[in-house]
Every structure is written in structure tokens, then in C-alpha cells.
Amino acid sequence: MSGNEISTLVISIIVLLGALLSLVSAIGLVRLPDIYTRSHAATKSATLSVLCILFGLFLYFALVDGYVSARILLGIVFVFITAPVGGHLIARAAYHSGVSLWESSIQDELHTKKKNQHSSS
């Protein structure tokens, strides 16, 4: 096997891993019971899947075509920073607007934290 074939194989595995993580994220969005667990599935696995696919694309252009793309690197950084923050903000907004937790949830740490802040003031 030549170096180009090995590079293509590694890149293919990374992109396939990203596609599988995207499938896991989609299944999590459909199967999980409430907005908080769905938000977790959307932010964790979907972010990682997009990062794997973009990293595979970056490697393809860098190793096979000999072209380093700053746009792809910026896309990786942008997704890495904004997707988890956006998911967190959506979950906080849902909590503050009164969306209930799943009935089998064991602990509501944010409610406990808010109660402790009000009692200490």
C-alpha cells in the first residue's frame, strides 16, 4: 500500500466514524424522553460527528490534494465553541420557562442550587 492509499483509508475511517456518531445523535433525538436528555444527545454526539467529518475533510485536502484550508479549520473551531454553548443555553431556557423534567429523573441540581441561593440571601 502506498502512502496515499493509507491516508485515504484513515480519512475514510474518520468520516465513517463521524457518520456513525451522527446516526447515534439522530437516534438519541428520537428515543430520549425529554428536552434535557435530547439536548445532551444533540450537543455531544452531533458536535463530535461534525468535527470528525470536518477533520476528515481537512485531512483529505491536506494529505491527498496538498491544500491546507483555513476555512475548514475555522469551521472546526466555530462548531467546537458554539454548538455546546447553544445546547446549554437552550436547556437553560427550557428549564427557566418551566419545561418539566422526565418523570424518572432522580435529581434536579439547578432547583437545589436556586433554593440554596434564595435561603442564603
Side-chain angles (χ1 to χ4, degrees):
M1 282 180 109
S2 69
N4 200 13
E5 291 175 354
I6 294 173
S7 299
T8 305
L9 179 66
V10 169
I11 292 166
S12 300
I13 291 171
I14 292 171
V15 172
L16 182 63
L17 177 66
L20 290 174
L21 285 169
S22 183
L23 176 65
V24 168
S25 178
I27 292 170
L29 286 173
V30 172
R31 300 278 303 170
L32 293 173
D34 66 350
I35 189 168
Y36 308 106
T37 54
R38 288 178 186 156
S39 173
H40 181 77
T43 56
K44 298 286 183 182
S45 59
T47 301
L48 188 58
S49 69
V50 170
L51 291 177
C52 283
I53 292 170
L54 286 176
F55 184 64
L57 181 67
F58 176 78
L59 287 178
Y60 177 80
F61 281 132
L63 298 176
V64 176
D65 286 348
Y67 172 73
V68 176
S69 176
R71 289 181 183 173
I72 296 173
L73 288 177
L74 286 173
I76 290 171
V77 170
F78 183 75
V79 168
F80 184 72
I81 292 172
T82 59
V85 172
H88 176 76
L89 290 175
I90 290 170
R92 293 275 295 207
Y95 185 83
H96 289 300
S97 66
V99 176
S100 61
L101 296 170
W102 179 38
E103 64 271 357
S104 295
S105 293
I106 297 171
Q107 187 174 1
D108 184 358
E109 291 181 9
L110 193 55
H111 180 71
T112 307
K113 184 178 178 182
K114 285 171 66 176
K115 189 169 62 172
N116 289 339
Q117 286 177 348
H118 289 302
S119 65
S120 65
S121 330

